[in-house]
Amino acid sequence: MELQRQFPNLKIEGGPYAPPVWVQYGIRAARVSQAGVGVFFFFGEQILAALGRRPFEFMADTPTNIAVHLGALYGFNVIADMLKSINAFEIVWNGQVLHSKLSSGTFPDPQQVSHKLSEAMQNKK
């Protein structure tokens, strides 16, 4: 919005960026793992018994100590959020890179981009 206010004739291109397929599958895997942790919390002993396996040792304390499951849920959430945030882009004007999320790992500050664009336009004149 700030760029459009300061530079009304600036053409802004682009739109929603779909992450690569491997990132989409990674996000889905993390979400399925979260669901698995939730199901395992409530039905873990029954699932293992149906498979002919004994419950794991840590499961004896699980009903009273839900921190293990909450930690796993949080961990998978962090992974999914990290995968969503790796989408990289660059802001380029006339071949000059004004901001690169690929290099910096951060979203651009609109005022900083406006300043860099002003400088680049002045240098071109």
Side-chain angles (χ1 to χ4, degrees):
M1 295 290 255
E2 182 168 334
L3 285 175
Q4 290 172 326
R5 262 195 313 269
Q6 289 188 354
F7 306 98
N9 295 331
L10 184 67
K11 182 180 177 186
I12 298 177
E13 297 178 350
Y17 173 74
V21 173
W22 69 271
V23 172
Q24 293 177 25
Y25 283 122
I27 293 168
R28 288 181 188 139
R31 296 300 184 207
V32 167
S33 298
Q34 282 180 307
V37 167
V39 168
F40 205 75
F41 176 75
F42 292 106
F43 305 109
E45 291 181 16
Q46 293 89 339
I47 292 170
L48 290 173
L51 296 172
R53 303 214 36 175
R54 292 181 2 178
F56 302 113
E57 289 182 29
F58 73 88
M59 292 180 74
D61 297 330
T62 301
T64 57
N65 184 8
I66 63 169
V68 173
H69 282 18
L70 291 176
L73 289 172
Y74 177 74
F76 285 123
N77 193 54
V78 167
I79 291 169
D81 286 345
M82 184 223 27
L83 287 171
K84 285 192 282 186
S85 70
I86 65 170
N87 297 330
F89 59 88
E90 292 184 328
I91 300 174
V92 180
W93 182 78
N94 206 21
Q96 181 178 352
V97 177
L98 303 176
H99 179 82
S100 174
K101 186 178 180 216
L102 186 61
S103 300
S104 68
T106 61
F107 280 93
D109 175 33
Q111 292 176 342
Q112 184 182 25
V113 174
S114 294
H115 180 70
K116 287 182 178 181
L117 182 57
S118 295
E119 286 180 351
M121 290 175 134
Q122 289 295 331
N123 292 337
K124 186 178 180 197
K125 289 182 181 179

